[in-house]
Amino acid sequence: MKKIIKITAVSLLSIVFIAAVGVYLLLFMSLPKLDASIESDAVSDNVSIERDRLGTAVVTASHRQDAAYGLGYAHGQDRFFQMDLLRRNSAGELSEIFGEKALELDKRHRFHQLRKRANNILKTLPEAHIKTLTTYARGVNDAVAAQSMNAFEYLVTGANPRPWEPADSLLVIYSMYLDLQGNTIKRDLTLTHIQSIFGAEMVAFIIQPSQYQAPLDGSLISLAPPSIPQLSPLYISQALPKEIAEPLDIGSNNWAVTGELTQNGNAMLSDDMHLSFAVPIIWYRAQLNYQHNGEDISITGVSLPGAPAIVVGSNGHVAWGFTNAYIDTADWIEIDDDTELTFEDEEIRLPDSAVDYKIPMSRFGPVKQVSEKRYALSWVGHQDYAVDMSLVELDSIKDVQQGIAIASNMGIPVQNMMLVDTAGNAAWKPAGAFPSRTNPSEVAIAESDYQADNWLIDQVDLPEVINPDTHRLWSGNSRVVSTKQHKELGNGGYALGARSTQIRDRLFAGKDFTVDDFYQLQLDNEARFLQPWQQQLITVLSTKPQRFAKDIVYLNNWKACACSDSVGYTLVRQYRQQLIDTTFAPLETQLALSSLSLSPVKRDLEPAMWQLINAQPKFWLPAKHSSWSEYMLNVYQESKQQLLAKHSQDDNMDDLAWGSVNELKIQHPFSKQIPILSTLLDMPTVTGFGDSYMPAVQGASFGASQRFIVQPGDEANGVLAIPGGQSGHPLSDFYRAGFTEYAAQQQTPLLPSRRLHRIEINAKEVSIN
């Protein structure tokens, strides 16, 4: 019997070993070849792709079109599956790979019919841009075809890669639209529904301006508080307290100073774009080298796999970066009962079947029903000027004025574009698509107020600032424009402004700056925003000093920062969140009946919450509490117990140190579904550093997707740190390259280092018969 068991065990181990070896061999065979010599008839002259220790793709070509082929080839080798997901995400085609699990997401995105729009826009682009997209697509497809086996993600899902098409690069830009402006669309619909239930007074109350205002011209919106609206006891009694999802601070920080404020006299730029993290990270290091009008072009920065452009970077003359502008790019129109609707059929494919999806359409745009009312969406993403390839024109600009001119007509989600040049100039301008309508609204408008003709025209005359008297520029997703411009451009869901004010104050605290100064500002995790909350919580707990003696010690020793060892920071942060969630539960409960949420406006609730704390109106107090003091004590106790239940096995408050509660955990999408793959696919888990409402933005899987600092002409001392590697292949040397440096807050160099690999792409002569 023992012999049989032994033989069986050995056999099973052998099978497991053979299977593991087989899986490894399959993975190994799907690795791209980084050293090769190939021929292609898609290039007019020889092209090379070199890679350094980080896997940076250094493309050298004779002209921009051939450089696009090289970048496409590199993207196709390292990131094709991620590119595939981006185009499918915006087109609403993920179900074809992932089945019914992705069906609802596909329906939400298919509502916008972005593939149809991308195909139509492609035909209208300048011939040079069409050629660039076509050549880029050829590079992508040639790289995929050269693989001896499909990328491992296709082996896991059982799907097959389909060729990359020129219009797919426009879909990649559309995917960024959905990320960067999705909250704007949700926000207006939420506020419309709040108005229909609670009245306009409630809308004014919850979106009142905050004290955190940091426009470049210093103009302030009045802080005269609105009246606190009455809240019906019925709504209070029906309230079901639950977490109101915190909207991600998708957007970014950037700032710049002119040459007058640097030690070497060169203007300097900092840019860190805040996005959700996954493996691989969204950005891809690249340097493009080619000739344009007889001049050498060398541009270094990050590209977005799927598009043939450097998104953020420096060309030796000018450097640029972006933050999401959050000016108002969408309107909902309340549809009259007699408004004519048509229906457009969309087929959503699944692995083995298909689903018919009908989209109701009006002359304003696609229509959505909420409760008993119908609303049509007019969104800049639906316009013919929404996407283009103007980003490639930045390659050869020589000064900030040339960059500003391109920004005026750029087809991207509208961004705060910051530029600096070698002459010491610094500039800011909203870059991207924006409608010319003049009546932006945060709630749905009537059909009679819709400016149909103005929506068809891209607004190119947006504000700009070049070389301000202060020599400083900054943005952090809050209002940058003046109060007058704000009325014209609207609020598309601005950040609260705490980050922007902290950045502004840091810039004005200095008189000359180095790259290291800028990097330390990117890492600034001082909790200025939460300081009033810390004092308020201590006041609440001091009514029961003996009962909360230990808690008060933690709060007094909180270090006033989102520091990894601060328990007090965790307590303050969770208390604030729980108090807002519980206080506004009556609104959240009513919105949930229509599948809506306060989430898109949660950051706006800060001033209203403080107004309630200071006034303590009984008609907002939950019925089971006799006073606000008792209520806030109860909220704190609940928030602490929730933290302990989640993060401690023995109710040890030391386990609530912020670095443990807010661990940085960057996961591959597959490991979320199959946890056993975590060791192979995920980045190492790192103690958390930073949070929302401060320059050092960081959540569990969210934060600065790159840290970029440069002075044009001095790229050798520039910084480009990214929280992940170049390759999407887990066996690649570049899968995790750069992550350790990012996690350790080191200044990874911008420029590529010594080349380790080289692919030669030789122009193949086309015979003419």
Side-chain angles (χ1 to χ4, degrees):
M1 186 66 180
K2 289 183 179 179
K3 185 176 181 180
I4 293 174
I5 294 174
K6 184 176 181 181
I7 292 172
T8 302
V10 171
S11 299
L12 288 173
L13 288 173
S14 299
I15 292 171
V16 170
F17 175 76
I18 293 170
V21 170
V23 170
Y24 179 84
L25 288 175
L26 287 174
L27 285 173
F28 183 79
M29 290 173 64
S30 65
L31 275 168
K33 294 180 180 179
L34 303 184
D35 294 283
S37 179
I38 63 175
E39 289 188 339
S40 174
D41 60 7
V43 296
S44 61
D45 204 348
N46 295 347
V47 176
S48 68
I49 306 170
E50 298 176 298
R51 288 177 171 88
D52 67 356
R53 69 177 183 87
L54 295 173
T56 307
V58 181
V59 178
T60 304
S62 295
H63 53 78
R64 185 59 170 88
Q65 194 168 315
D66 282 358
Y69 178 92
L71 184 60
Y73 198 94
H75 284 168
Q77 284 191 309
D78 290 331
R79 295 291 190 87
F80 185 78
F81 185 73
Q82 287 72 41
M83 294 162 57
D84 194 4
L85 294 187
L86 282 176
R87 65 176 170 179
R88 288 177 179 275
N89 176 63
S90 56
E93 297 170 352
L94 290 169
S95 298
E96 192 171 359
I97 292 180
F98 301 108
E100 292 187 0
K101 291 182 293 185
L103 187 56
E104 289 307 311
L105 177 62
D106 275 353
K107 287 181 178 180
R108 290 200 299 272
H109 291 177
R110 192 68 69 92
F111 179 78
H112 302 292
Q113 298 181 296
L114 298 180
R115 178 170 289 284
K116 184 183 297 184
R117 300 182 193 281
N119 287 331
N120 290 336
I121 288 175
L122 178 67
K123 302 170 187 175
T124 69
L125 296 181
E127 183 179 354
H129 289 179
I130 294 175
K131 286 183 177 179
T132 297
L133 289 170
T134 302
T135 306
Y136 172 83
R138 180 68 184 276
V140 172
N141 293 328
D142 285 354
V144 174
Q147 297 281 109
S148 58
M149 185 166 290
N150 287 341
F152 90 97
E153 296 97 335
Y154 292 104
L155 299 177
V156 172
T157 60
N160 289 310
R162 71 183 187 204
W164 194 262
E165 299 176 2
D168 291 337
S169 293
L170 303 184
L171 282 171
V172 166
I173 299 175
Y174 272 130
S175 197
M176 298 305 294
Y177 263 99
L178 293 173
D179 278 350
L180 298 173
Q181 295 185 6
N183 198 65
T184 298
I185 295 171
K186 295 175 184 177
R187 182 177 188 270
D188 284 10
L189 204 55
T190 293
L191 292 174
T192 297
H193 207 56
I194 289 173
Q195 181 170 277
S196 69
I197 300 172
F198 300 97
E201 187 181 32
M202 182 67 78
V203 173
F205 175 62
I206 67 174
I207 63 170
Q208 60 180 287
S210 81
Q211 61 178 312
Y212 300 103
Q213 301 183 44
L216 293 178
D217 75 335
S219 60
L220 301 179
I221 298 173
S222 172
L223 295 181
S227 60
I228 298 175
Q230 290 281 337
L231 195 57
S232 166
L234 177 63
Y235 292 143
I236 292 178
S237 65
Q238 293 176 341
L240 300 172
K242 66 174 185 176
E243 181 180 354
I244 302 170
E246 195 85 32
L248 296 176
D249 290 323
I250 291 177
S252 317
N253 300 322
N254 64 12
W255 59 85
V257 295
T258 64
E260 284 84 353
L261 296 182
T262 64
Q263 294 185 354
N264 61 10
N266 293 346
M268 185 156 49
L269 169 72
S270 172
D271 186 88
D272 53 289
M273 297 183 284
H274 306 154
L275 295 168
S276 295
F277 290 162
V279 177
I281 212 70
I282 190 169
W283 304 117
Y284 185 91
R285 296 172 177 271
Q287 182 183 82
L288 304 183
N289 302 282
Y290 62 94
Q291 284 201 325
H292 176 71
N293 293 334
E295 295 186 9
D296 291 334
I297 301 293
S298 182
I299 174 173
T300 309
V302 294
S303 60
L304 176 60
I310 299 298
V311 178
V312 167
S314 179
N315 65 9
H317 302 283
V318 185
W320 59 90
F322 298 103
T323 73
N324 201 28
Y326 280 115
I327 53 181
D328 194 357
T329 56
D331 282 331
W332 288 95
I333 301 93
E334 186 172 341
I335 301 296
D336 297 334
D337 292 338
D338 57 352
T339 298
E340 182 180 355
L341 299 184
T342 59
F343 292 87
E344 297 202 12
D345 293 320
E346 291 280 335
E347 182 184 73
I348 301 177
R349 296 179 183 175
L350 284 79
D352 301 313
S353 61
V355 173
D356 291 328
Y357 177 52
K358 290 185 181 296
I359 303 173
M361 298 291 296
S362 69
R363 64 186 179 90
F364 311 102
V367 175
K368 180 185 179 82
Q369 183 156 334
V370 180
S371 296
E372 303 301 319
K373 295 184 178 180
R374 298 179 301 173
Y375 302 94
L377 176 63
S378 188
W379 178 40
V380 72
H382 295 162
Q383 308 307 317
D384 291 343
Y385 52 83
V387 295
D388 62 25
M389 273 294 114
S390 295
L391 270 172
V392 301
E393 305 297 335
L394 296 176
D395 287 11
S396 56
I397 59 176
K398 295 293 183 63
D399 54 45
V400 299
Q401 286 83 1
Q402 291 180 4
I404 289 292
I406 293 171
S408 298
N409 296 282
M410 197 174 287
I412 60 172
V414 64
Q415 302 285 294
N416 292 305
M417 187 178 186
M418 206 80 74
L419 309 97
V420 296
D421 64 26
T422 51
N425 300 305
W428 161 85
K429 185 179 180 68
F434 189 77
S436 293
R437 61 94 158 82
T438 58
N439 60 340
S441 175
E442 294 182 78
V443 295
I445 61 175
E447 290 188 18
S448 58
D449 292 328
Y450 183 68
Q451 299 177 353
D453 292 339
N454 289 355
W455 268 98
L456 300 177
I457 303 171
D458 187 13
Q459 171 63 272
V460 298
D461 189 24
L462 293 172
E464 61 188 52
V465 176
I466 302 176
N467 294 336
D469 293 339
T470 64
H471 307 297
R472 299 163 174 87
L473 294 166
W474 61 89
S475 76
N477 311 128
S478 60
R479 177 175 64 89
V480 180
V481 301
S482 69
T483 52
K484 179 178 182 297
Q485 293 160 346
H486 174 62
K487 293 178 181 178
E488 300 166 354
L489 302 179
N491 182 350
Y494 283 134
L496 186 62
R499 273 188 292 120
S500 295
T501 57
Q502 196 158 327
I503 291 167
R504 177 201 62 193
D505 293 347
R506 295 294 195 204
L507 290 175
F508 277 97
K511 294 183 178 179
D512 59 59
F513 297 92
T514 64
V515 168
D516 186 61
D517 293 330
F518 269 30
Y519 201 71
Q520 292 308 309
L521 179 46
Q522 287 190 355
L523 301 176
D524 179 11
N525 68 347
E526 183 184 355
R528 290 189 177 189
F529 171 74
L530 283 184
Q531 285 179 359
W533 283 99
Q534 182 250 8
Q535 291 299 312
Q536 196 271 340
L537 180 54
I538 289 176
T539 300
V540 168
L541 299 189
S542 294
T543 61
K544 306 284 185 182
Q546 294 183 334
R547 182 177 176 184
F548 294 106
K550 186 176 181 180
D551 305 65
I552 293 171
V553 170
Y554 281 116
L555 293 171
N556 282 325
N557 295 330
W558 77 312
K559 299 185 177 180
C561 63
C563 299
S564 59
D565 59 348
S566 177
V567 173
Y569 182 88
T570 304
L571 296 175
V572 173
R573 187 191 192 281
Q574 182 69 12
Y575 165 71
R576 172 189 175 271
Q577 180 168 308
Q578 186 97 359
L579 186 61
I580 290 174
D581 290 350
T582 308
T583 303
F584 289 92
L587 278 69
E588 180 72 1
T589 300
Q590 296 304 312
L591 288 171
L593 297 176
S594 299
S595 300
L596 296 173
S597 171
L598 279 170
S599 177
V601 296
K602 187 172 184 180
R603 63 170 67 99
D604 294 289
L605 299 177
E606 176 76 5
M609 188 68 251
W610 274 108
Q611 193 175 353
L612 291 172
I613 289 172
N614 293 327
Q616 299 191 3
K618 288 194 175 295
F619 51 84
W620 273 77
L621 191 64
K624 65 179 181 179
H625 298 290
S626 60
S627 69
W628 275 80
S629 177
E630 177 201 330
Y631 167 54
M632 291 186 288
L633 271 176
N634 180 261
V635 167
Y636 171 73
Q637 289 177 281
E638 289 183 354
S639 69
K640 185 175 76 169
Q641 287 306 313
Q642 288 181 13
L643 283 169
L644 289 170
K646 185 176 181 180
H647 299 286
S648 179
Q649 294 183 349
D650 54 2
D651 286 350
N652 184 353
M653 289 184 67
D654 288 334
D655 293 334
L656 303 183
W658 180 240
S660 299
V661 170
N662 191 42
E663 285 182 327
L664 179 60
K665 190 174 184 180
I666 307 179
Q667 295 181 273
H668 192 283
F670 288 178
S671 74
K672 293 180 180 180
Q673 303 299 321
I674 313 172
I676 196 173
L677 296 177
S678 180
T679 301
L680 174 66
L681 298 180
D682 295 347
M683 294 296 116
T685 300
V686 176
T687 299
F689 176 91
D691 191 16
S692 303
Y693 305 114
M694 58 183 59
V697 170
Q698 187 242 298
S701 58
F702 181 84
S705 58
Q706 41 70 254
R707 296 178 183 139
F708 173 68
I709 302 170
V710 69
Q711 294 178 285
D714 189 23
E715 284 76 12
N717 290 309
V719 173
L720 179 57
I722 298 177
Q726 288 280 91
S727 174
H729 198 296
L731 296 187
S732 170
D733 292 340
F734 307 128
Y735 187 71
R736 294 184 174 87
F739 173 79
T740 301
E741 293 168 50
Y742 175 95
Q745 301 165 11
Q746 296 174 357
Q747 297 181 21
T748 309
L750 166 65
L751 292 182
S753 57
R754 183 173 65 87
R755 317 302 195 259
L756 302 177
H757 300 279
R758 181 181 178 89
I759 296 175
E760 286 282 356
I761 303 167
N762 302 305
K764 183 179 180 180
E765 294 186 10
V766 180
S767 60
I768 302 176
N769 295 326

